[in-house]
Amino acid sequence: MRLKSSGALCGVAVLIVVALADYLYPAIPDPMPTHFNADGAVDGYSQKSWGLLLVIAAPLFVFLVFKALPLISPRGFRMDAFQTVIDILNATVTIAVAGIGAPVLLRASGKNVPLMVV
């Protein structure tokens, strides 16, 4: 049995990150902060275009890798028996990666987001 809502949840998570990046684009500086230390201080920057691409592409990449698993699994390794578990993992990891990207975008645009709490 496949969990049909997992694909929709992943799609919504990716779309939220894309919409947030589009909305915050004018407020994000170039270069944009993309890495933060344990205290939440910026310690790494990327070009704005590459930083935004990474934040948007990361959850999309995770989603697509999970969807490709049945195609790249070795012969004889049947994934049908635990497809529901794979769907749950796909949704969980994709939403987690998007959940990391959204606060990074907010912080890069100047909002005071406590990244260590997130």
Side-chain angles (χ1 to χ4, degrees):
M1 180 176 129
R2 293 187 57 94
L3 186 63
K4 295 180 179 161
S5 60
S6 70
L9 287 173
C10 294
V12 167
V14 171
L15 286 176
I16 287 172
V17 172
V18 169
L20 190 61
D22 183 50
Y23 177 74
L24 295 174
Y25 185 82
I28 296 174
D30 192 10
M32 70 178 275
T34 52
H35 193 269
F36 305 87
N37 65 19
D39 295 324
V42 178
D43 67 354
Y45 292 88
S46 296
Q47 280 184 330
K48 185 177 182 177
S49 58
W50 285 109
L52 289 174
L53 180 65
L54 178 66
V55 170
I56 292 169
L60 182 60
F61 177 75
V62 169
F63 173 72
L64 293 175
V65 165
F66 271 99
K67 287 300 177 186
L69 281 178
L71 301 173
I72 62 176
S73 66
R75 289 181 188 246
F77 186 73
R78 304 287 302 166
M79 296 179 66
D80 298 338
F82 54 95
Q83 187 62 47
T84 301
V85 173
I86 292 172
D87 290 342
I88 291 169
L89 285 172
N90 187 0
T92 303
V93 176
T94 302
I95 291 168
V97 172
I100 292 168
V104 167
L105 288 172
L106 289 167
R107 183 73 180 268
S109 70
K111 308 282 191 275
N112 189 14
V113 178
L115 290 177
M116 297 308 108
V117 174
V118 174

